[in-house]
Amino acid sequence: MQNYYHSIKQHYLNSQGDSTGLFEEILKASNQVGMDEALAYLAQCVTEKRLAWLKANFDEAIHETDPLMEGYRWFYERYLRVSVPGDGEIVEHTRKRIVMRWWNPCPTLEACKKLGLDTRVVCKKAYHNPVQEFLEHIHPKLRFDRNYASIRPHAAWCEEIIELED
């Protein structure tokens, strides 16, 4: 089983804008360990990479008094390098909640379309928790969610939410 994790990790680290090979490897692994386990391996790789990046970069932060915007800026603008209005829009912004709709280029979306994978499943199982863990390192009361009824290619955008718990 560890061999599948290492193979998925190598494909993930080497994907550089084209995730087709990565998801071909996930499909191959899923034949042996099941899709849930293969996507769990990917989620572990994604989490490790994001937290390593955050550890290397977050010490330079000028911490804002608004943890919601700090989480938004660190994850979307600094880590993913997406921003509004070019890559998406903010459709709701309150003191406790921010809702974004993204239409930026997405290697996961393209690979899923090519290989017939459902982004609702892939994004939930492989990418949801890594975003949550990233945000918790910014502020422990930040919570991430994604509207899986409004995710590409089933919608024109991917709708994502960050909330600040009381």
Side-chain angles (χ1 to χ4, degrees):
M1 302 303 169
Q2 281 295 81
N3 288 339
Y4 291 115
Y5 166 75
H6 292 296
S7 180
I8 288 169
K9 184 174 185 174
Q10 281 306 116
H11 279 83
Y12 172 66
L13 294 175
N14 294 325
S15 59
Q16 299 181 9
D18 182 358
S19 295
T20 305
L22 167 63
F23 284 98
E24 287 171 340
E25 188 64 21
I26 287 169
L27 285 169
K28 183 174 145 187
S30 74
N31 290 330
Q32 298 297 314
V33 299
M35 184 58 83
D36 287 352
E37 190 69 20
L39 290 173
Y41 291 152
L42 176 56
Q44 183 180 346
C45 297
V46 173
T47 299
E48 289 169 0
K49 181 180 176 190
R50 289 178 179 178
L51 295 184
W53 181 91
L54 192 58
K55 183 178 180 182
N57 291 280
F58 196 61
D59 290 340
E60 303 167 9
I62 299 172
H63 297 288
E64 299 179 24
T65 58
D66 181 353
L68 188 65
M69 283 308 295
E70 188 168 357
Y72 166 82
R73 286 193 179 107
W74 274 97
F75 183 68
Y76 291 102
E77 293 179 357
R78 292 183 177 106
Y79 183 76
L80 291 181
R81 296 181 182 255
V82 295
S83 60
V84 297
D87 298 309
E89 64 183 341
I90 295 173
V91 295
E92 180 185 335
H93 186 190
T94 67
R95 192 174 60 81
K96 297 282 188 176
R97 177 178 162 100
I98 185 167
V99 180
M100 298 82 45
R101 291 181 177 160
W102 300 107
W103 50 74
N104 56 295
C106 177
T108 299
L109 170 64
E110 296 308 314
C112 286
K113 288 187 331 189
K114 283 181 195 173
L115 299 171
L117 297 169
D118 190 337
T119 54
R120 295 171 292 201
V121 173
V122 169
C123 292
K124 184 163 188 74
K125 293 184 185 258
Y127 295 102
H128 191 107
N129 287 336
V131 179
Q132 179 59 46
E133 289 193 41
F134 186 102
L135 291 173
E136 284 176 3
H137 279 77
I138 303 293
H139 192 282
K141 291 188 176 186
L142 289 176
R143 296 295 169 258
F144 174 76
D145 203 3
R146 182 179 286 123
N147 179 351
Y148 288 97
S150 185
I151 187 171
R152 297 178 290 172
H154 308 284
W157 52 72
C158 294
E159 189 172 87
E160 299 179 336
I161 302 112
I162 302 174
E163 293 181 299
L164 181 63
E165 288 184 334
D166 288 326

